[in-house]
Amino acid sequence: MLAGSGWRVTTADVEHSLARTFQQAAGEDGDALAAAYARQFVWDLDLRRDLQRGDRVEVLWRPDPTEVIVVAAARLRSGRLGRTLEAWRWQRPGDSFPSYWDADGVEVPYRLVDGPLDDYEQVTALLKDRPTHKGMDFKTPVGTPVRSPKAATVTRVDWNWRYNGHCIELRYDDGVIAKLLHLSENRVQAGQRVAAGQVIALSGNTGRSTAPHLHYELHRGDRVLDPLEYHEVQRRRLSADELARFRADQARLAATLDRALASL
Ligand SMILES: [Zn+2]
């Protein structure tokens, strides 16, 4: 149903799966809404395994021409965790993009410490999402500086162009192989040494890529590594000043959501 200023609210008790739940609750928007909603909670739950009958989803959202769906607020009452997870969309001063924060001002998505991008719009795929995709995807505009996460040697560039587009393979000094794909501009050559944090490329949308993003993939020998396990990860926390501003905006969103829920 409509909740004012273009926002819609969808709520449902979980039935079978998140996809089925949202297909029944939101019709033709269900699949896109399920995907956008799931991105907020993959950090804390395995959504294929951990959802239970009686769990409840609530989401304030609107269709968007570029992002397909924008989620303003999402809640998941989880029987498995015994609590309600929350994600509120808010742009921290100094950030280039909005992110999602819980009610205490802790960022919902994890970030890689010393990852390849300083800032990006959203993580759109994790290693665990699907077995055929071997990396982590960061949605970010074409031209975002890409850093070498570690001291490394460039082992090859621009192989398998049709799929990878402009691409760089690095061998970190601990032997791990890193692949960075779909770049718009490559600034290094095979054999070159690069320092940790050095800008080696600009992100892009080349090769088999349907939207601007960076694909980051790690291997040790035959094994694919999860960047979330290989790297240190962090959840940022808002400062006291930021938290006060966030809470004012979050209270408005919460009022919109709760008013809409009460009128259902
Ligand atoms: Zn990818």
Side-chain angles (χ1 to χ4, degrees):
M1 70 157 281
L2 296 174
S5 51
W7 294 112
R8 303 173 186 197
V9 66
T10 297
T11 184
D13 291 322
V14 171
E15 282 293 335
H16 191 67
S17 70
L18 209 55
R20 180 92 57 90
T21 303
F22 278 106
Q23 282 159 8
Q24 285 174 359
E28 63 179 8
D29 293 314
D31 287 338
L33 186 56
Y37 180 89
R39 278 205 286 277
Q40 305 312 321
F41 300 115
V42 288
W43 309 98
D44 295 288
L45 287 170
D46 180 334
L47 293 169
R48 279 184 295 267
R49 197 193 61 201
D50 293 340
L51 291 180
Q52 299 176 352
R53 192 173 292 270
D55 286 359
R56 187 162 186 82
V57 301
E58 297 172 349
V59 56
L60 186 67
W61 63 281
R62 70 178 172 216
D64 183 87
T66 57
E67 290 187 58
V68 187
I69 286 205
V70 169
V71 168
R75 288 189 191 132
L76 171 62
R77 189 178 70 205
S78 164
R80 178 165 182 106
L81 294 179
R83 64 191 172 95
T84 298
L85 297 172
E86 299 183 339
W88 303 90
R89 181 182 172 93
W90 191 69
Q91 187 163 352
R92 179 179 163 271
D95 281 1
S96 305
F97 307 101
S99 185
Y100 290 86
W101 309 84
D102 73 13
D104 296 323
V106 177
E107 194 169 29
V108 172
Y110 282 96
R111 287 176 183 257
L112 304 181
V113 175
D114 301 326
L117 300 173
D118 291 343
D119 203 3
Y120 48 85
E121 210 168 325
Q122 196 171 42
V123 172
T124 48
L126 299 179
L127 183 66
K128 68 178 182 181
D129 287 351
R130 30 184 226 278
T132 52
H133 181 253
K134 296 191 169 76
M136 187 170 175
D137 287 341
F138 299 84
K139 180 181 178 185
T140 195
V142 171
T144 305
V146 176
R147 299 180 186 279
S148 178
K150 309 268 181 185
T153 302
V154 179
T155 42
R156 54 180 172 161
V157 298
D158 290 353
W159 75 99
N160 203 357
W161 161 266
R162 256 185 75 210
Y163 289 90
N164 297 341
H166 280 305
C167 54
I168 297 174
E169 184 183 83
L170 303 169
R171 188 175 59 241
Y172 295 157
D173 289 353
D174 63 4
V176 166
I177 297 291
K179 297 177 183 178
L180 299 146
L181 310 184
H182 313 307
L183 308 168
S184 64
E185 187 182 316
N186 181 354
R187 295 188 173 170
V188 293
Q189 296 177 338
Q192 186 180 335
R193 284 289 299 168
V194 294
Q198 182 178 334
V199 173
I200 55 173
L202 300 179
S203 73
N205 188 26
T206 56
R208 183 180 277 186
S209 171
T210 54
H213 78 285
L214 176 71
H215 172 100
Y216 181 48
E217 178 177 329
L218 297 171
H219 297 258
R220 190 191 295 278
D222 292 341
R223 229 156 45 84
V224 178
L225 304 183
D226 188 342
L228 289 172
E229 291 172 5
Y230 176 74
H231 282 268
E232 274 186 62
V233 295
Q234 63 171 339
R235 275 180 154 154
R236 299 185 303 172
R237 182 177 283 275
L238 297 175
S239 70
D241 282 358
E242 291 163 352
L243 187 59
R245 295 168 68 173
F246 162 72
R247 286 228 162 106
D249 292 340
Q250 183 244 345
R252 274 191 290 277
L253 281 179
T256 304
L257 177 60
D258 289 334
R259 206 165 43 237
L261 290 171
S263 69
L264 288 177

